Amino acid sequence: MTVAPPCAVNRNQVPGLCRSGEIVVWILVAAWSLAVLLGMAWLWDYGAAPGYTPVPPDHWPASSQLTRNPRGFTLVLFAHPHCPCTRATLRELERLLSRTDSRLHATIAFLRPTGVGEQWTQSAIWKQAENIPNTRVTVDPEGREARLFGAAVSGHALLFDAQGGRLFSGGITAARGHEGDNRGRSAVERLIFHGPGTPTTTCVYGCPLHPSSPQDMKP
């Protein structure tokens, strides 16, 4: 015995019911597709949108407590310990250091706002930074060093020569959380291997270093 599908029975009993159901399904599919497209567009715009970057100093700040290499190049990277975008920046820094050998000394300064403990700063991103060879990881209380160097976004890197002159300021990724060849990392490599030229600036892609509250960037 063959049982007719419910839709076939309904079509005979209530003309147009199945067609109306199909229209509703198509409307829902179209609405879902539009939502997906809008979400993808927003993510693309967000990932490609650089953060605000103040004008950095031309020379190493005299009042800085960070250590500069007087016999070579020094790169300072400012980071937020809970910024997911910074993971890609750290991997790009590791690639950069592996190519430049001992020519480059790197310091990563992690923000520590007022009112938070050591555990807040020493996140998984901090531990990732500690595993990068030939790199000094330190704390930047209240972002004082970041302000001296004109860094407002996590992932902001600055390269200085032996005399303390700034050669580079910007990001070393092409977008938020994006790894791969990019203008920033290439610029730093070129400056180290081919000598100083015109100071280079690139966009920085990351989270704000100075949020209104430490809770704003908690994972």
Side-chain angles (χ1 to χ4, degrees), residues 2-102:
T2 303
V3 179
C7 193
V9 174
N10 289 338
R11 188 183 297 274
N12 293 330
Q13 294 176 351
V14 185
L17 183 61
C18 280
R19 180 170 296 176
S20 299
E22 291 170 0
I23 292 174
V24 171
V25 170
W26 280 110
I27 291 174
L28 292 174
V29 170
W32 178 82
S33 300
L34 179 61
V36 170
L37 290 173
L38 291 174
M40 292 176 65
W42 181 86
L43 288 173
W44 176 262
D45 288 341
Y46 176 76
Y52 166 69
T53 308
V55 177
D58 292 331
H59 292 83
W60 187 278
S63 58
S64 173
Q65 300 299 308
L66 300 180
T67 303
R68 179 174 59 84
N69 175 23
R71 292 184 295 275
F73 297 97
T74 303
L75 184 142
V76 181
L77 177 70
F78 293 96
H80 195 297
H82 298 288
C83 174
C85 315
T86 302
R87 293 182 181 276
T89 297
L90 293 178
R91 284 189 282 267
E92 289 302 315
L93 175 62
E94 187 168 10
R95 293 186 180 97
L96 178 62
L97 289 168
S98 69
R99 297 177 183 181
T100 55
D101 300 322
S102 59

Side-chain angles (χ1 to χ4, degrees), residues 70-195:
R71 292 184 295 275
F73 297 97
T74 303
L75 184 142
V76 181
L77 177 70
F78 293 96
H80 195 297
H82 298 288
C83 174
C85 315
T86 302
R87 293 182 181 276
T89 297
L90 293 178
R91 284 189 282 267
E92 289 302 315
L93 175 62
E94 187 168 10
R95 293 186 180 97
L96 178 62
L97 289 168
S98 69
R99 297 177 183 181
T100 55
D101 300 322
S102 59
R103 303 181 189 213
L104 178 64
H105 288 212
T107 294
I108 304 173
F110 277 96
L111 170 71
R112 178 182 288 175
T114 303
V116 301
E118 183 177 338
Q119 186 176 5
W120 185 91
T121 306
Q122 295 185 359
S123 62
I125 297 173
W126 169 288
K127 292 179 174 61
Q128 179 186 350
E130 283 188 317
N131 289 326
I132 301 177
N134 303 319
T135 301
R136 180 172 179 263
V137 181
T138 187
V139 171
D140 183 13
E142 301 177 6
R144 290 193 293 265
E145 292 288 346
R147 290 185 174 90
L148 283 176
F149 284 83
V153 177
S154 184
H156 192 156
L158 298 103
L159 178 71
F160 295 87
D161 60 22
Q163 290 73 42
R166 176 176 57 83
L167 303 176
F168 172 84
S169 172
I172 53 174
T173 61
R176 294 176 187 266
H178 179 78
E179 295 181 52
D181 293 337
N182 63 87
R183 181 169 169 258
R185 194 188 71 196
S186 298
V188 174
E189 290 181 6
R190 183 176 64 253
L191 289 164
I192 291 173
F193 286 109
H194 301 292

